[in-house]
Amino acid sequence: MEVKLAKTAGFCYGVQRAVDMVTKAACEGRRHIYTYGPIVHNENVIEALREKGVDIIDDFDMLRSMLDRGELEGSTIVIRAHGVPKAVFELIEKSGLNIEVIDATCPHVKRIHDIVKEQRDEGDVIAVCGDPEHPEVIGILGQIEDDAYVIKTREDAERLELPEDARLTLVSQTTQSVTKFQDIVDILHKKRYYTNVIDTICNATQRRQSEASGLAHECDAMLVIGGSNSSNTRKLYDICHSECQRTYLIQSITDIKGTIDHSVRCVGITAGASTPRSIIEEVFEYVRNEF
């Protein structure tokens, strides 16, 4: 059996940077280290950090409650790669507590924050192509006080109604499907609004999706490694499944049982941006040696 591994698989730059930053803080012996939300959507990474003494502040309400009780005095809070609404920083600052904030927001996401603030200040209506419940999109929307539109589906784009003289700036969640983004752009152009399209899909995301699609087309079966709660991993699964019906979403080698039989001659492997290299290598070696 031939086993093929996508070149662009596993931690992206932003995730690796964030994990390195929180790991460095833990290794330096800082007390009471927290991440605002999970640093990545990967249970293995979260558990490894927990063993180093890193806890998670789940959401804004939990942060406010801990601040009100003074529990975060002398602590370190790491902002994850997805970024957060500006209200998170403001709440910490207003608490008056001695808290170190390490901002591990991905630079690509930071760029989107700057874009939406600048374009809003110029009078544009802001729309984000992405999932309204994803933390990255919540963070983007949280940079501006005015309402903005989130366009998740083609139907959302079709339903969008703006004044005739409106100027629309469209950005995208960094892990959005390239095809879906272009479909939505096409729909908005047909509406004949003045639309300023800024493609903010990360280059690594585009490469990852393109490689995965090509690999799935060549293989009899595909393994997509990543957490089921990871947006970019689910998108990879959908892309691969459209090319290869025998596509399976797994988190580790324990999920492989029953997915591959000896009729499969070629297996492709890719992984989401929150998947550590160690797990990818473990899956690759397991498939190569066991089948």
Side-chain angles (χ1 to χ4, degrees):
M1 177 189 295
E2 184 178 9
V3 184
K4 297 183 177 182
L5 176 63
K7 293 179 181 179
T8 307
F11 279 178
C12 64
Y13 165 76
V15 169
Q16 185 66 65
R17 175 176 175 270
V19 171
D20 288 346
M21 291 172 79
V22 71
T23 301
K24 182 174 183 289
C27 292
E28 288 175 346
R30 287 179 172 86
R31 296 173 56 206
H32 309 303
I33 301 174
Y34 299 88
T35 61
Y36 187 86
I39 196 72
V40 294
H41 287 142
N42 185 281
E43 294 176 6
N44 294 319
V45 176
I46 297 303
E47 184 56 35
L49 289 172
R50 188 174 286 116
E51 291 175 359
K52 295 179 183 293
V54 179
D55 292 315
I56 299 174
I57 298 174
D58 292 331
D59 53 32
F60 192 79
D61 288 340
M62 182 176 178
L63 173 65
R64 180 164 48 197
S65 178
M66 294 179 74
L67 289 171
D68 288 345
R69 294 194 299 267
E71 295 178 16
L72 297 176
E73 173 66 32
S75 67
T76 297
I77 300 177
V78 182
I79 304 300
R80 58 184 173 178
H82 295 114
V84 296
K86 64 179 182 179
V88 171
F89 292 99
E90 293 170 350
L91 185 65
I92 295 171
E93 184 177 355
K94 289 178 181 177
S95 73
L97 298 178
N98 177 29
I99 299 172
E100 179 187 18
V101 177
I102 298 175
D103 189 359
T105 304
C106 173
H108 298 300
V109 176
K110 278 277 195 183
R111 172 175 173 258
I112 304 175
H113 291 183
D114 293 338
I115 289 170
V116 298
K117 287 186 287 189
E118 179 180 339
Q119 297 304 128
R120 189 280 312 271
D121 289 346
E122 292 185 6
D124 286 13
V125 176
I126 303 298
V128 182
C129 178
D131 182 348
E133 298 183 0
H134 192 278
E136 181 187 319
V137 174
I138 293 171
I140 294 168
L141 298 177
Q143 305 307 309
I144 52 179
E145 296 176 358
D146 302 331
D147 288 337
Y149 295 91
V150 180
I151 302 175
K152 183 178 181 179
T153 65
R154 293 176 56 90
E155 290 72 25
D156 291 338
E158 295 282 7
R159 287 192 294 264
L160 183 66
E161 294 291 341
L162 299 175
E164 289 185 6
D165 60 345
R167 297 193 317 164
L168 178 68
T169 286
L170 177 70
V171 296
S172 176
Q173 184 178 330
T174 57
T175 56
Q176 184 58 270
S177 161
V178 176
T179 302
K180 179 182 285 188
F181 181 66
Q182 189 55 58
D183 286 346
I184 287 171
V185 169
D186 292 343
I187 292 170
L188 294 179
H189 279 323
K190 289 177 183 177
K191 287 178 172 287
R192 303 193 182 282
Y193 296 128
Y194 170 82
T195 305
N196 176 28
V197 176
I198 305 177
D199 184 354
T200 52
I201 299 175
C202 177
N203 288 336
T205 296
Q206 297 186 38
R207 289 196 302 272
R208 190 187 310 271
Q209 293 177 0
S210 177
E211 289 177 13
S213 177
L215 196 57
H217 184 74
E218 299 172 359
C219 296
D220 303 316
M222 280 292 297
L223 298 178
V224 181
I225 313 170
S228 58
N229 60 342
S230 166
S231 173
N232 75 85
T233 300
R234 292 197 306 272
K235 290 183 177 70
L236 274 183
Y237 171 83
D238 291 341
I239 289 168
C240 291
H241 191 261
S242 68
E243 296 287 347
C244 177
Q245 288 297 304
R246 299 179 71 171
T247 294
Y248 307 95
L249 178 60
I250 66 170
Q251 295 194 59
S252 67
I253 60 173
T254 59
D255 300 322
I256 297 177
K257 185 177 180 180
T259 62
I260 301 173
D261 58 42
H262 293 288
S263 67
V264 175
R265 296 185 178 182
C266 181
V267 176
I269 299 174
T270 187
S274 299
T275 305
R277 193 69 191 178
S278 59
I279 294 178
I280 299 171
E281 292 173 352
E282 184 178 31
V283 169
F284 179 81
E285 291 298 327
Y286 179 83
V287 174
R288 191 171 65 172
N289 294 329
E290 295 295 324
F291 294 94

